[in-house]
Amino acid sequence: MQDVNQYLIKMSDGSIALKEHVKESLLPYASSIKTVTRMLATKLFMQSERVSGNCKGIRGQVQLDFARLELLKSTVFEVCGVSYAEQDKAWKNITAAVDAV
């Protein structure tokens, strides 16, 4: 069983952050939002979570952990250089990629 906590840092305020080496490992794939999203989703969510859940909690599935989804979103935006104007469109691609993993 995968331990997703090995990729996370718990901050003093209770929030979570991604370990720097994980973010750095994504940089070679920065030209593809879907690839970065899939790689990161497999680190942030256990397989059992991905099978029984999705981003919105629809179609009879539970919603994936909101804090980790937000971390995934902000990391993908940062790694892939997504501008503010492109974030809505990119988020649709991100959710599609997460739900397909």
Side-chain angles (χ1 to χ4, degrees):
M1 179 190 253
Q2 174 189 346
D3 180 14
V4 298
N5 291 318
Q6 68 181 318
Y7 305 112
L8 302 174
I9 301 168
K10 297 225 183 229
M11 308 304 281
S12 60
D13 65 358
S15 65
I16 55 173
L18 193 62
K19 290 187 177 179
E20 196 60 35
H21 73 90
V22 177
K23 194 182 301 183
E24 289 172 2
S25 73
L26 300 170
L27 292 175
Y29 308 96
S31 63
S32 173
I33 287 176
K34 287 186 178 186
T35 300
V36 171
T37 299
R38 288 180 183 136
M39 292 175 71
L40 192 52
T42 61
K43 294 183 183 329
L44 294 179
F45 300 99
M46 293 184 297
Q47 182 176 359
S48 60
E49 290 176 295
R50 296 190 315 268
V51 168
S52 65
N54 58 35
C55 292
K56 295 181 182 175
I58 57 175
R59 292 189 287 275
Q61 295 188 316
V62 297
Q63 182 176 20
L64 294 171
D65 180 76
F66 182 77
R68 287 184 277 155
L69 274 177
E70 286 295 311
L71 178 60
L72 182 138
K73 178 169 78 172
S74 65
T75 302
V76 172
F77 287 171
E78 179 183 343
V79 168
C80 296
V82 177
S83 70
Y84 182 78
E86 293 287 318
Q87 288 183 359
D88 284 341
K89 180 180 176 184
W91 178 238
K92 289 177 185 173
N93 289 329
I94 291 168
T95 57
V98 170
D99 291 347
V101 173

